[in-house]
Amino acid sequence: ILCAATNKGEMEMLIHGRYPIATLPIKNAVRPTIVCSSDLIHISILKQSNQASNPSRLNIYSVPAFNTHRYSLQTISALYSSIQSHLKAIEEGIHGVTSAWKNALKPLDMKMDGLSKILKNYGIPTTNLGSVLNKHIILGRTWENANALEQFWNGVQMNDQLLLRMQKSLHNALAGVETMARSNLLSPVRSLLLCVQELHGLDSELLPETLRLSRCTKILLFSSEYLVSQILQNRLRIRDFVSWLRSASSTVKAQDTSPDSVQSENARKRRVPQALIERVADSFQKEDNVIIDAGTSTERIVGSNVSAILSEKDFVERITDEPIHPKLFPKSLQDTRGVPTLPSALAQVQETAAETFQQPKVCVGNTISQKEILLPLSAESCAIHSRMGVETLSTKNESILEGAFRPVTTSADESFACSRQWTILAFPVDLGDYQHGIHLILFPLRKCKRDFVLSQCLKLPPQCTIEDIGFYGDDGKSSLSTGKDTSTGKEGRQALSLIIKYETEQSLWLIDYDIIKFDVVPLANVGQIIDLSRMPFNFTSSLLVLPWKDGEDNEEDGSIIIARTRIIDSRPTGDTNLRLILCGSRGVGGVLSSDSQNRSNFLSLYDLEEDDEEEDSGDEEMVTI
């Protein structure tokens, strides 16, 4: 799960960082800290506040759907990513095919535009160029407006060499358009349909309705296949039309010349079969069934509706030589208005896909429950951490207990130490007499017959103030693994990290809190909101934390805990802001120090896992950036 903050004051959870599955509020939070349990069922968000009247809050969200539907959600996330990539590829393919089609017909369009200009000069209507050329085929020179067409045939732009070159370029360009339509449109649409069909029947609770998306995708596939068939059909029509143009131009130029002249010889060589002339004349007659304002001059002449299928309109009429037959097309794809255009069909699929993938989000959102913990107003700097425990201590398999968190309690009842998942909260408290402490609270993330928390206070020496708090721990699942090593799944070293300021000295303390005995504090009738300032915590049995000192007896007993310390090299002078940055999986701790005006920043990195016997000096294990 990737947790990402948005500009709307919300935290969006994305499966595999791709599929948004849930949204949680984090408004008015300063440096929100988020930890997840290892099973992803529980998500804890610490919202620190910089307002004196507004306390910091810890929200513990329970999302059981992440466990019960984990396999289905992984499949849905993968299909969501694939479907979105296919939809994007189809959208780009539509723009690419549209541009390539117009560029391919541009040379022929320029010649047809020249014909329209000549006809306008002669006062001949140009709304139907196909009928004008059809009259030329039927009537020839006997047509009353034959002079206009003879001027066109004898023009410079109808030079045979130019027509031959255009014929070859048109053949290659239109072949490229067909290849692009098959690879950039038809192929991703077919892949999209396969992904959509995998959604059907995947999980009826998460996806109760997927048939509508499948039907819309099939309509998109039908429109794509119809486009490819039209491109292929119009390639043949344009091939015949250009061949007829060459033949007609040579025939007109050979008129009134001797039979053995060069013009007559060229006309005989370029004469086309009668079947080709009939096909060209037949295509001229199909112009009336095409949306005229959607195509180019050439398309209006040959009766092409490729541009109409790629246009922003909703539908385009089928041409008369392709009748709708129940055995040819499924009933679900028939529409009395015609064939859906590709942009409209794609928009319908995108809209339906968004609605379909919204269903798992609603289902997961209905299962989310939360507990809100209000921290005392004096808790300025706080920290949270997630630990893996055991469900029961009475097991014969010692390997299950090894590497698991087992808090020590003052109660004889072992059930208080049993929970598979724990959330740990730490924040400073004022104990009076210039003495400060750290309050540790352990929240078990399991259903219990009696709600409770584990609590203990760690008392610092007098005159010591806390600059920052953080948890240092190895969860056994290194995020920086090279793949050569395998994770054990068991926790490594854990510690509570503090930046302590004593007079002018600043130091980094590491406290092993696994050996601490915690008091059991029952939560009776507290509801979903827990106010820690009103809880009956007992600080009289606080444990004293002392720093390690060389050459002295550093033994621990029931009331004293020895902390490992490290002097911090804080470079900025004057007032310095210190912040902990810890990476337990690699045994590295960092302290980010900056002056009050943020004019300079220093990051000091420390090796926190070095062997004390081999350590010569702390400065040798520190790198400053």
Side-chain angles (χ1 to χ4, degrees):
I1 300 294
L2 172 66
C3 300
T6 65
N7 294 330
K8 298 179 181 179
E10 298 174 338
M11 185 197 74
E12 196 166 32
M13 293 186 290
L14 301 97
I15 301 178
H16 300 152
R18 299 174 295 190
Y19 176 46
I21 190 62
T23 303
L24 302 176
I26 53 171
K27 288 185 178 180
N28 302 323
V30 180
R31 282 174 54 192
T33 306
I34 303 169
V35 296
C36 297
S37 60
S38 60
D39 55 4
L40 295 179
I41 296 179
H42 304 281
I43 299 176
S44 303
I45 304 177
L46 178 61
K47 308 173 185 177
Q48 301 189 45
S49 176
N50 56 0
Q51 300 177 1
S53 59
N54 186 20
S56 300
R57 301 168 185 266
L58 172 62
N59 294 87
I60 301 178
Y61 295 92
S62 176
V63 194
F66 283 165
N67 185 25
T68 57
H69 300 285
R70 57 187 181 275
Y71 300 115
S72 297
L73 287 174
Q74 291 182 47
T75 305
I76 292 173
S77 173
L79 291 176
Y80 173 82
S81 178
S82 299
I83 288 175
Q84 293 301 319
S85 63
H86 291 323
L87 290 175
K88 184 177 180 181
I90 294 170
E91 186 175 3
E92 294 175 352
I94 291 176
H95 293 297
V97 171
T98 303
S99 177
W101 176 258
K102 291 181 179 179
N103 292 334
L105 296 182
K106 193 172 182 179
L108 189 54
D109 287 335
M110 294 176 62
K111 298 186 182 301
M112 295 302 103
D113 291 339
L115 174 60
S116 298
K117 185 176 180 181
I118 294 175
L119 294 178
K120 286 182 181 179
N121 294 336
Y122 278 84
I124 303 174
T126 60
T127 56
N128 196 334
L129 291 178
S131 63
V132 174
L133 295 175
N134 196 31
K135 290 180 181 179
H136 174 76
I137 294 176
I138 298 174
L139 302 176
R141 301 186 70 177
T142 61
W143 184 38
E144 57 183 0
N145 296 317
N147 293 334
L149 286 179
E150 289 184 2
Q151 181 179 346
F152 170 70
W153 299 124
N154 292 309
V156 179
Q157 59 183 355
M158 297 304 292
N159 180 272
D160 185 70
Q161 293 297 326
L162 296 178
L163 289 176
L164 180 60
R165 188 181 304 171
M166 182 187 69
Q167 187 177 22
K168 293 181 179 179
S169 63
L170 271 175
H171 175 77
N172 296 331
L174 293 177
V177 173
E178 182 184 352
T179 303
M180 181 183 293
R182 292 184 183 274
S183 60
N184 296 355
L185 271 180
L186 193 57
S187 179
V189 171
R190 288 174 176 172
S191 301
L192 173 65
L193 182 59
L194 291 176
C195 294
V196 171
Q197 289 175 344
E198 288 188 28
L199 283 176
H200 182 60
L202 181 62
D203 193 318
S204 58
E205 186 176 353
L206 291 176
L207 294 168
E209 175 56 46
T210 57
L211 290 177
R212 184 164 169 260
L213 176 59
S214 179
R215 179 182 181 276
C216 293
T217 308
K218 289 179 180 178
I219 293 176
L220 178 62
L221 176 62
F222 173 73
S223 298
S224 302
E225 291 178 341
Y226 185 72
L227 171 67
V228 173
S229 67
Q230 287 299 304
I231 292 177
L232 178 58
Q233 185 179 25
N234 284 281
R235 276 185 61 191
L236 302 178
R237 289 185 181 180
I238 293 173
R239 180 201 63 184
D240 294 342
F241 178 59
V242 175
S243 298
W244 175 78
L245 282 180
R246 291 188 63 199
S247 176
S249 176
S250 299
T251 302
V252 171
K253 293 176 181 177
Q255 292 176 356
D256 301 328
T257 62
S258 60
D260 57 348
S261 64
V262 177
Q263 290 83 356
S264 299
E265 182 66 22
N266 291 337
R268 285 191 293 269
K269 290 180 180 179
R270 298 177 186 120
R271 184 177 300 167
V272 294
Q274 182 64 26
L276 187 146
I277 299 177
E278 292 178 357
R279 291 198 300 266
V280 172
D282 185 57
S283 64
F284 292 159
Q285 296 174 3
K286 294 179 178 179
E287 181 183 7
D288 296 334
N289 296 322
V290 181
I291 302 176
I292 297 178
D293 58 352
T296 62
S297 301
T298 303
E299 289 185 278
R300 289 196 294 269
I301 292 174
V302 300
S304 169
N305 55 359
V306 173
S307 294
I309 300 174
L310 296 170
S311 67
E312 299 296 331
K313 294 182 177 293
D314 294 333
F315 294 91
V316 58
E317 296 180 0
R318 296 186 180 92
I319 53 181
T320 55
D321 63 345
E322 294 183 357
I324 302 177
H325 193 275
K327 295 183 179 180
L328 297 179
F329 306 109
K331 292 183 178 180
S332 59
L333 301 181
Q334 294 184 21
D335 197 298
T336 56
R337 292 169 291 183
V339 179
T341 62
L342 273 175
S344 65
L346 177 62
Q348 187 66 29
V349 172
Q350 291 174 333
E351 180 182 355
T352 310
E355 296 175 357
T356 302
F357 284 106
Q358 186 69 15
Q359 298 172 12
K361 187 174 182 179
V362 174
C363 178
V364 172
N366 293 334
T367 64
I368 296 178
S369 60
Q370 70 160 322
K371 281 189 177 181
E372 186 173 25
I373 295 93
L374 302 181
L375 277 66
L377 294 175
S378 59
E380 296 180 357
S381 59
C382 316
I384 57 174
H385 191 44
S386 178
R387 296 290 303 271
M388 287 190 301
V390 292
E391 297 180 355
T392 178
L393 297 178
S394 57
T395 177
K396 297 181 180 180
N397 191 355
E398 294 295 334
S399 61
I400 298 178
L401 302 178
E402 183 182 355
F405 178 53
R406 291 173 289 173
V408 182
T409 66
T410 56
S411 174
D413 190 354
E414 292 184 350
S415 63
F416 290 115
C418 297
S419 179
R420 182 55 179 164
Q421 306 292 337
W422 295 85
T423 291
I424 306 177
L425 172 66
F427 57 91
V429 291
D430 188 359
L431 302 178
D433 296 332
Y434 303 100
Q435 197 166 22
H436 298 84
I438 299 294
H439 191 187
L440 282 174
I441 303 179
L442 278 61
F443 297 89
L445 303 180
R446 65 180 176 91
K447 292 184 179 180
C448 309
K449 295 181 179 180
R450 41 186 178 172
D451 294 335
F452 69 95
V453 296
L454 303 182
S455 170
Q456 185 56 272
C457 181
L458 305 180
K459 183 169 54 177
L460 300 178
Q463 307 299 328
C464 289
T465 59
I466 302 171
E467 296 292 324
D468 199 9
I469 306 175
F471 281 97
Y472 165 80
D474 182 5
D475 58 3
K477 302 183 292 294
S478 174
S479 60
L480 300 178
S481 175
T482 60
K484 297 180 180 179
D485 53 348
T486 57
S487 172
T488 61
K490 299 178 181 179
E491 291 185 337
R493 179 178 293 184
Q494 305 283 333
L496 175 66
S497 304
L498 308 173
I499 296 181
I500 301 298
K501 183 177 181 181
Y502 178 73
E503 295 180 352
T504 60
E505 183 181 86
Q506 295 170 332
S507 57
L508 174 63
W509 290 25
L510 294 179
I511 303 172
D512 184 8
Y513 60 90
D514 283 3
I515 61 175
I516 297 175
K517 282 190 176 182
F518 291 90
D519 298 326
V520 179
V521 180
L523 301 177
N525 301 323
V526 295
Q528 299 298 321
I529 300 180
I530 304 174
D531 192 349
L532 297 182
S533 60
R534 299 181 180 181
M535 295 295 297
F537 295 116
N538 183 15
F539 293 160
T540 57
S541 59
S542 301
L543 304 179
L544 179 62
V545 181
L546 296 177
W548 175 280
K549 293 185 179 180
D550 295 334
E552 297 186 8
D553 186 9
N554 295 291
E555 295 184 358
E556 298 178 337
D557 55 26
S559 60
I560 297 177
I561 296 177
I562 303 300
R564 294 183 295 156
T565 62
R566 178 70 58 84
I567 302 300
I568 296 176
D569 182 18
S570 56
R571 298 299 177 90
T573 58
D575 296 334
T576 305
N577 300 319
L578 300 179
R579 180 182 172 186
L580 272 172
I581 302 174
L582 302 170
C583 180
S585 61
R586 289 302 176 193
V588 176
V591 178
L592 182 64
S593 56
S594 60
D595 57 16
S596 58
Q597 299 179 359
N598 290 325
R599 291 177 300 182
S600 58
N601 296 277
F602 293 89
L603 176 61
S604 301
L605 301 179
Y606 301 91
D607 182 6
L608 303 180
E609 296 292 341
E610 80 278 9
D611 191 352
D612 294 337
E613 296 180 358
E614 298 179 359
E615 178 185 0
D616 295 330
S617 66
D619 292 338
E620 294 181 1
E621 301 294 338
M622 188 238 336
V623 178
T624 302
I625 302 175

